[in-house]
Amino acid sequence: MEYYSITCGIDCIDTKRRLKEEISANMSERYDCTECKESLFGKKYILKEENPHCIKCYEALFSNTCEVCQLLISCTSKDLSYKERHWHSECFLCTKCSRSLVDRPFATKDETLMCVDCYSNEYSAKCHACLKTIMPGSKKMEHKGNSWHENCFTCNRCQQPIGTRSFVQKDTNNYCMPCYEKQFAQQCNHCKMPITTGGVNYRDQPWHKECFVCIGCKEQLANQRFTSRDDFAYCLNCFCNLFAKKCAYCTTPISGLGGSKYISFEQRQWHNDCFNCKKCCTSLVGRGFLTCKEDILCPDCGKDF
């Protein structure tokens, strides 16, 4: 924005004739406000896109309105703007403590201006350890809804900042992994390494989930049914294939686990569903039957033999 003034002063006087000519020329050339058409001769004015405006018209047309006092911000006043909003410098204040925000950092909440101190006290998180405000822009650590200053987020045992390292929370206290393993972690019965997460217990012994596997196929046994023999754990498939009796009819293993029933006769075994008459396929569970070599028959079909 540039201010201009038209005056009738003359730097030097040559002759009376020249003085009269210049005065006559100045009086004959008009220089008016683009809006109100009043002469700008001897007055201050402002150019807007090369069009001159008197101060009054310029302010009415182009000056911004202050957000606080709702008055026009005059050409001679400092216009402070933020996100298309405008203030007089004397109106640019913190809404909480009324301190001037001119040349100071500030924050906004729902379009309300606040100094950094007031904003922090009102809205910033409090450190879970020292209970002091975590100032905007400073680094903070967060876990399960709580916040810490970076230097306050420390291991409860060694008191060293945890930072971005792995840690374990126990009884509301945080421990870095080395300290947790030394103080609390059980050792896996198989690999003898500390168990920090995902452990299982078997016969009062702790195991890593990945270490507690079937002795046969090495598949993890956590979250599935298993059994044991001679202190070794087996998945059901391996146990049945290795130790279970075979059905005399379908030849697949009879596990007998989980309360499943089977029929046993003269060192032969059958699944309940497989114990049927060889000729008519009638179930013989709970009924009398006859044998003919390797076959079993119901009494009716056995008459033919």
Side-chain angles (χ1 to χ4, degrees), residues 3 10 23 51 87 100 105-106 132 150 152 154 175 257 259 271 273-274 276 299:
Y3 290 90
I10 301 176
I23 292 174
N51 296 316
W87 293 263
S100 175
F106 64 91
K132 295 181 180 179
E150 184 179 17
C152 293
T154 59
Y175 297 87
L257 300 174
H271 294 106
D273 294 338
C274 295
N276 302 320

Side-chain angles (χ1 to χ4, degrees), residues 33-58:
C33 172
T34 303
E35 186 67 20
C36 67
K37 308 305 181 184
E38 289 188 7
S39 174
L40 298 175
F41 185 76
K43 299 179 181 179
K44 290 182 178 181
Y45 67 94
I46 300 174
L47 286 177
K48 177 72 173 177
E49 297 177 354
E50 299 184 358
N51 296 316
H53 293 78
C54 66
I55 301 299
K56 183 179 179 181
C57 289
Y58 181 88

Side-chain angles (χ1 to χ4, degrees), residues 151-174:
N151 291 332
C152 293
F153 189 59
T154 59
C155 172
N156 191 64
R157 187 171 186 266
C158 67
Q159 300 302 314
Q160 295 300 309
I162 295 174
T164 57
R165 295 181 296 159
S166 298
F167 69 96
V168 177
Q169 190 174 61
K170 181 177 175 61
D171 300 330
T172 70
N173 294 319
N174 299 316

Side-chain angles (χ1 to χ4, degrees), residues 10-288:
I10 301 176
D11 294 337
C12 64
I13 300 176
D14 296 332
T15 62
K16 290 183 179 180
R17 179 183 175 185
R18 185 174 179 181
L19 175 60
K20 290 180 180 180
E21 288 176 353
E22 289 183 358
I23 292 174
S24 176
N26 285 336
M27 294 299 291
S28 62
E29 294 177 3
R30 294 187 59 82
Y31 196 70
D32 300 335
C33 172
T34 303
E35 186 67 20
C36 67
K37 308 305 181 184
E38 289 188 7
S39 174
L40 298 175
F41 185 76
K43 299 179 181 179
K44 290 182 178 181
Y45 67 94
I46 300 174
L47 286 177
K48 177 72 173 177
E49 297 177 354
E50 299 184 358
N51 296 316
H53 293 78
C54 66
I55 301 299
K56 183 179 179 181
C57 289
Y58 181 88
E59 290 181 348
L61 292 172
F62 305 113
S63 290
N64 297 303
T65 302
C66 177
E67 286 282 329
V68 176
C69 67
Q70 298 301 308
L71 298 177
L72 288 177
I73 302 173
S74 69
C75 299
T76 57
S77 299
K78 194 172 183 180
D79 186 339
L80 301 178
S81 63
Y82 173 71
K83 289 187 176 180
E84 300 182 357
R85 301 164 66 199
H86 299 266
W87 293 263
H88 291 105
S89 58
E90 59 270 21
C91 295
F92 195 57
L93 308 173
C94 172
T95 55
K96 293 291 182 181
C97 66
S98 298
R99 286 191 299 177
S100 175
L101 299 178
V102 178
D103 298 326
R104 290 182 178 177
F106 64 91
T108 60
K109 179 70 174 180
D110 299 329
E111 298 188 353
T112 301
L113 297 175
M114 281 178 279
C115 64
V116 172
D117 291 339
C118 289
Y119 181 88
S120 299
N121 292 332
E122 193 79 14
Y123 300 108
S124 292
K126 302 294 189 294
C127 177
H128 191 65
C130 69
L131 304 182
K132 295 181 180 179
T133 300
I134 301 175
M135 300 299 290
S138 60
K139 193 171 183 179
K140 69 177 179 179
M141 314 302 294
E142 294 181 320
H143 178 63
K144 292 185 177 180
N146 294 320
S147 301
W148 290 263
H149 292 107
E150 184 179 17
N151 291 332
C152 293
F153 189 59
T154 59
C155 172
N156 191 64
R157 187 171 186 266
C158 67
Q159 300 302 314
Q160 295 300 309
I162 295 174
T164 57
R165 295 181 296 159
S166 298
F167 69 96
V168 177
Q169 190 174 61
K170 181 177 175 61
D171 300 330
T172 70
N173 294 319
N174 299 316
Y175 297 87
C176 63
M177 294 302 295
C179 288
Y180 179 83
E181 291 173 357
K182 291 177 183 177
Q183 188 164 345
F184 300 108
Q186 294 178 310
Q187 288 189 340
C188 175
N189 188 56
H190 175 71
C191 69
K192 309 304 180 186
M193 298 297 293
I195 301 173
T196 55
T197 58
V200 296
N201 280 306
Y202 175 64
R203 292 186 176 178
D204 297 326
Q205 296 293 330
W207 303 68
H208 290 114
K209 286 178 64 175
E210 55 271 22
C211 292
F212 188 59
V213 298
C214 171
I215 193 67
C217 65
K218 307 303 179 184
E219 183 180 355
Q220 289 188 26
L221 297 176
N223 302 320
Q224 69 164 300
R225 294 176 63 193
F226 66 93
T227 187
S228 63
R229 185 183 179 96
D230 299 330
D231 294 330
F232 293 110
Y234 296 85
C235 68
L236 295 188
N237 287 336
C238 288
F239 182 84
C240 291
N241 290 331
L242 291 171
F243 306 111
K245 299 178 184 299
K246 302 295 189 297
C247 176
Y249 175 74
C250 68
T251 70
T252 59
I254 301 173
S255 67
L257 300 174
S260 60
K261 296 180 179 180
Y262 64 96
I263 308 298
S264 180
F265 176 73
E266 291 184 352
Q267 298 183 345
R268 288 190 295 169
Q269 288 78 32
W270 293 263
H271 294 106
N272 269 19
D273 294 338
C274 295
F275 193 60
N276 302 320
C277 174
K278 178 66 175 179
K279 188 173 182 181
C280 69
C281 298
T282 301
S283 174
L284 299 177
V285 177
R287 298 177 57 186

